[in-house]
């Protein structure tokens, strides 16, 4: 289902203009404020999937989210000097730090050190062989802030191509709730590139959502400190046909008046007397009910007789049996 290209362009332009004006007004009071904000695609689902997944879904983009000013951390399984030197010589200046999993357990064991590591990088890449051992090594803070490391095949022959493909993607991490956010860029990117990333992200997301477009309620775009601007809303379900309540209520009132008149006539003695056959049938039904009750009581008594011994009786029998055995042994 294609999006309205003009509506997406208007939403992106409005958000960029809004954030620019906001930072200009706050510049005099907050000198440390960052003028660049992240842009996210917000998707609300109709039904939530309860399947948990550590690996995020990779969605390729036409325009890379990370430039030379960004910071990427690469997590590796084992610190090997030759392998680390090879990774450093790939030609990606965005990879600022390479950390082995042993360092996470020793150098970054405290909560403060893990938090500093998390805040110092925009993206974390990891060897795909150690994805399942990372939650314990990194801690819950990484997963709460959705900075979950993206897996990369570091055993690939063309390692430069593999790492470059990972950097030119965004990542969808399915939330436990119905609302999901996926990063599409920053406010300093050109509008055309952001619009391309919105379309690419949504096309990739739909493939990973159960029931595809049928399960999507709303789609919107937002900056870090802005409201969400909607760009898609799901059509409502088929209309329900309601009957004419006033006509039905009148008919019910008329039926009720007739019943009231009938009961009033019966109280005056004008009602017809019940036929003799009806009274005989009622007597037979009463007799049958009494018989069923007697049979039921009889069965309950038989069950109580056949029921096993109570706890107290069982304990007393065990005690007497053990006493007899002790006496027999002493004799």
């Amino acid at each position: 289902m294609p999006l309205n290209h003009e509506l997406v362009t208007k939403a992106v332009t409005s958000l960029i203009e809004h954030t620019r004006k906001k930072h200009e007004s706050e510049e005099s009071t907050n000198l440390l404020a960052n003028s660049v904000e992240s842009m996210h695609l917000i998707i609300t689902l109709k039904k939530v999937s309860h399947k948990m997944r550590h690996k995020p879904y990779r969605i390729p983009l036409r325009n890379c989210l990370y430039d030379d000013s960004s910071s990427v951390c690469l997590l590796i399984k084992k610190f090997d000097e030759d392998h680390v030197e090879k990774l450093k010589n790939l030609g990606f200046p965005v990879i600022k730090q390479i950390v082995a999993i042993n360092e996470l357990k020793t150098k970054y064991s405290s909560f403060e050190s893990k938090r500093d590591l998390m805040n110092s990088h925009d993206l974390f890449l990891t060897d795909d062989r150690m994805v399942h051992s990372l939650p314990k090594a990194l801690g819950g803070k990484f997963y709460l802030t959705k900075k979950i490391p993206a897996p990369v095949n570091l055993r690939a022959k063309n390692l430069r191509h593999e790492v470059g493909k990972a950097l030119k993607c965004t990542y969808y991490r399915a939330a436990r709730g119905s609302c999901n956010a996926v990063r599409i860029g920053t406010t300093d990117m050109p509008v055309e590139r952001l619009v391309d990333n919105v379309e690419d992200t949504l096309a990739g997301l739909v493939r990973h959502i159960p029931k595809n477009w049928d399960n999507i309620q709303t789609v919107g775009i937002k900056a870090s400190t802005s409201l969400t601007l909607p760009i898609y809303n799901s059509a409502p379900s088929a209309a329900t046909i309601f009957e004419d309540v006033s006509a039905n209520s009148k008919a019910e009132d008329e039926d009720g008046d007739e019943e009231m008149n009938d009961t009033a006539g019966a109280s005056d003695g004008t009602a017809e007397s019940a036929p003799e056959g009806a009274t005989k049938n009622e007597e037979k039904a009463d007799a049958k009910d009494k018989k069923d009750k007697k049979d039921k009581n009889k069965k309950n008594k038989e069950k109580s007789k056949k029921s096993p011994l109570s706890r107290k009786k069982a304990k007393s029998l065990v005690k007497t049996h053990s006493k007899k055995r002790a006496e027999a042994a002493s004799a």
Side-chain angles (χ1 to χ4, degrees):
M1 186 181 292
L3 285 172
N4 188 337
H5 185 81
E6 291 181 5
L7 184 62
V8 176
T9 307
K10 281 182 181 178
V12 171
T13 308
S14 301
L15 283 173
I16 291 172
E17 189 66 22
H18 168 74
T19 52
R20 185 184 63 79
K21 287 180 179 178
K22 185 182 177 184
H23 287 294
E24 282 179 359
S25 63
E26 292 178 351
E27 212 169 16
S28 57
T29 55
N30 189 4
L31 298 174
L32 299 174
N34 190 5
S35 60
V36 180
E37 293 188 12
S38 295
M39 299 276 283
H40 291 86
L41 190 72
I42 309 297
I43 294 179
T44 307
L45 305 179
K46 294 177 184 176
K47 290 186 179 179
V48 183
S49 176
H50 296 287
K51 292 180 180 179
M52 291 301 295
R53 177 187 165 96
H54 288 299
K55 278 188 178 183
Y57 294 103
R58 183 185 285 185
I59 301 170
L61 301 174
R62 279 175 272 181
N63 306 294
C64 185
L65 301 178
Y66 309 100
D67 54 12
D68 294 342
S69 63
S70 303
S71 179
V72 177
C73 179
L74 183 60
L75 304 175
I76 58 175
K77 192 172 184 181
K78 193 177 179 181
F79 194 85
D80 184 5
E81 288 185 6
D82 296 334
H83 188 56
V84 171
E85 196 64 31
K86 188 180 178 181
L87 291 170
K88 285 180 179 178
N89 295 330
L90 289 175
F92 293 106
V94 291
I95 300 176
K96 302 287 195 299
Q97 189 178 3
I98 298 173
V99 180
I101 193 167
N102 293 332
E103 287 185 74
L104 290 174
K105 295 176 181 177
T106 55
K107 188 178 177 181
Y108 298 99
S109 59
S110 65
F111 175 80
E112 291 79 10
S113 59
K114 286 178 182 176
R115 183 184 59 192
D116 293 340
L117 178 68
M118 181 189 67
N119 293 332
S120 58
H121 299 290
D122 301 309
L123 176 68
F124 288 86
L125 298 176
T126 181
D127 191 336
D128 58 359
R129 293 171 293 180
M130 49 185 264
V131 169
H132 295 287
S133 59
L134 283 176
K136 190 176 180 180
L138 291 174
K141 191 70 176 175
F142 269 80
Y143 291 84
L144 288 173
T145 53
K146 294 192 177 179
K147 280 200 174 179
I148 307 170
V152 183
N153 183 12
L154 296 180
R155 305 177 309 283
K157 291 182 180 178
N158 193 349
L159 195 57
R160 178 179 170 79
H161 172 72
E162 187 68 25
V163 175
K165 192 168 69 172
L167 290 171
K168 207 176 178 182
C169 289
T170 189
Y171 296 92
Y172 165 57
R173 299 166 178 87
R176 291 186 178 182
S178 60
C179 189
N180 295 272
V182 183
R183 194 164 184 252
I184 56 169
T186 53
T187 51
D188 61 345
M189 289 175 66
V191 175
E192 295 78 14
R193 290 190 175 187
L194 282 170
V195 172
D196 290 342
N197 284 356
V198 168
E199 293 172 351
D200 294 346
T201 303
L202 199 53
L205 265 174
V206 170
R207 293 198 297 269
H208 301 301
I209 292 172
K211 297 185 179 179
N212 302 16
W213 276 102
D214 294 334
N215 196 22
I216 295 176
Q217 184 66 47
T218 59
V219 180
I221 307 170
K222 81 178 291 292
S224 299
T225 59
S226 74
L227 297 173
T228 304
L229 294 182
I231 57 173
Y232 169 79
N233 269 309
S234 175
S237 56
T240 308
I241 299 171
F242 294 96
E243 296 178 357
D244 189 0
V245 180
S246 59
N248 290 338
S249 61
K250 284 181 182 177
E252 287 174 3
D253 290 341
E254 288 174 1
D255 294 339
D257 292 339
E258 288 177 3
E259 288 177 5
M260 289 285 286
N261 292 332
D262 293 341
T263 53
S267 62
D268 292 338
T270 56
E272 293 180 4
S273 59
E276 292 181 3
T279 53
K280 287 182 181 179
N281 289 334
E282 287 176 3
E283 289 175 0
K284 285 181 181 179
D286 292 338
K288 192 179 179 183
D289 291 338
K290 287 179 181 179
K291 190 179 179 184
D292 291 340
K293 283 181 182 179
K294 283 182 180 179
D295 293 340
K296 196 174 182 181
N297 292 333
K298 195 175 180 181
K299 284 179 182 178
N300 289 334
K301 285 179 181 178
E302 288 175 358
K303 279 183 183 179
S304 62
K305 286 179 182 178
K306 293 178 182 178
S307 63
L309 292 169
S310 63
R311 264 188 169 181
K312 288 182 179 179
K313 286 184 179 179
K315 282 183 179 179
S316 62
L317 285 171
V318 169
K319 283 181 181 179
T320 52
H321 184 65
S322 59
K323 280 182 182 178
K324 286 180 181 178
R325 286 182 68 182
E327 287 173 1
S330 62

